[in-house]
């Protein structure tokens, strides 16, 4: 009789543990990671810089233009990079790799200058009271841009 009662309690205990685990997996699902999401960053900028409605609209328009330009430059750069590395897949030829490298560098320069121009536009939107917050915005933006916020890998073990 005692063994039957033991198995009865053990069955109920294991069943309840399984139900808890199933509930944890389905109901305790984590949300999206807190990465450098563009929309979240735009909202953060509006709060940090304390933009009014007109400034916010101008900022969003400038950010959209900047984003479209960066996407266009990225697409161009990807196509040039494919052509740059294509000789490694085909017959090895040094087919104008220097000219492709010059094009890649020109695109990188245009991306940097475009980003600088965008930041200048954002700074131009601000009035004197909001100027103090620009430094905080730039530190955060450069942290995202230069990927400083990512965790660095630990040093290798001996």
């Amino acid at each position: 009789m005692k063994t039957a009662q033991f198995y009865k309690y053990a069955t109920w205990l294991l069943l309840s543990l399984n139900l808890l685990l199933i509930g944890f997996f389905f109901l305790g699902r984590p949300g999206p990671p807190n990465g450098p999401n563009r929309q979240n960053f735009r909202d953060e900028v509006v709060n940090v810089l304390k933009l009014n409605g007109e400034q916010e609209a101008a900022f969003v328009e400038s950010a959209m233009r900047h984003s479209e330009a960066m996407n266009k430059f990225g697409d161009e750069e990807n196509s040039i990079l494919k052509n740059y590395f294509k000789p490694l897949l085909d017959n090895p030829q040094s087919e104008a790799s220097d000219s492709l490298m010059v094009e890649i560098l020109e695109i990188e320069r245009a991306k940097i200058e475009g980003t600088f121009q965008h930041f200048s536009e954002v700074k131009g939107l601000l009035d004197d009271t909001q100027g103090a917050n620009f430094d905080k915005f730039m530190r955060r933006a450069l942290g995202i841009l230069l990927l400083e916020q990512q965790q660095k890998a630990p040093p290798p073990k001996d």
Side-chain angles (χ1 to χ4, degrees):
M1 185 75 172
K2 286 187 175 187
T3 57
Q5 190 174 14
F6 169 76
Y7 285 124
K8 180 178 161 184
Y9 289 135
T11 302
W12 283 109
L13 177 69
L14 291 175
L15 179 65
S16 61
L17 282 176
N18 282 335
L19 291 175
L20 283 173
L21 280 174
I22 290 171
F24 174 75
F25 284 131
F26 288 113
L27 300 176
R29 187 172 301 201
N34 293 330
N37 187 334
R38 287 184 185 169
Q39 185 61 40
N40 290 342
F41 184 64
R42 286 181 188 160
D43 294 340
E44 185 179 338
V45 168
V46 170
N47 291 333
V48 167
L49 295 177
K50 297 177 176 56
L51 301 177
N52 62 30
E54 184 179 312
Q55 290 172 322
E56 182 179 353
F59 169 74
V60 169
E61 181 182 333
S62 176
M64 292 300 291
R65 280 194 318 265
H66 176 69
S67 179
E68 289 170 4
M70 293 301 117
N71 288 339
K72 186 183 114 197
F73 288 139
D75 293 343
E76 289 176 16
E77 188 175 32
N78 285 342
S79 102
I80 293 171
L81 284 171
K82 286 178 185 174
N83 290 335
Y84 184 80
F85 289 107
K86 190 175 182 178
L88 293 174
L89 298 173
D90 300 336
N91 296 330
Q93 301 170 353
S94 60
E95 171 190 338
S97 64
D98 290 338
S99 66
L100 291 174
M101 184 58 73
V102 168
E103 288 181 50
I104 293 168
L105 292 174
E106 287 174 3
I107 291 173
E108 284 298 318
R109 180 182 180 133
K111 287 166 65 175
I112 292 169
E113 289 173 349
T115 302
F116 184 86
Q117 178 64 34
H118 172 61
F119 289 150
S120 296
E121 288 175 10
V122 171
K123 188 174 185 177
L125 292 173
L126 305 177
D127 58 24
D128 294 336
T129 60
Q130 296 166 321
N133 299 331
F134 185 74
D135 291 340
K136 183 177 179 182
F137 157 72
M138 282 301 298
R139 281 192 293 276
R140 177 78 169 110
L142 290 175
I144 290 172
L145 187 66
L146 302 175
L147 303 176
E148 291 175 356
Q149 300 298 326
Q150 289 185 351
Q151 291 181 345
K152 297 191 177 9
K157 295 182 180 180
D158 293 336

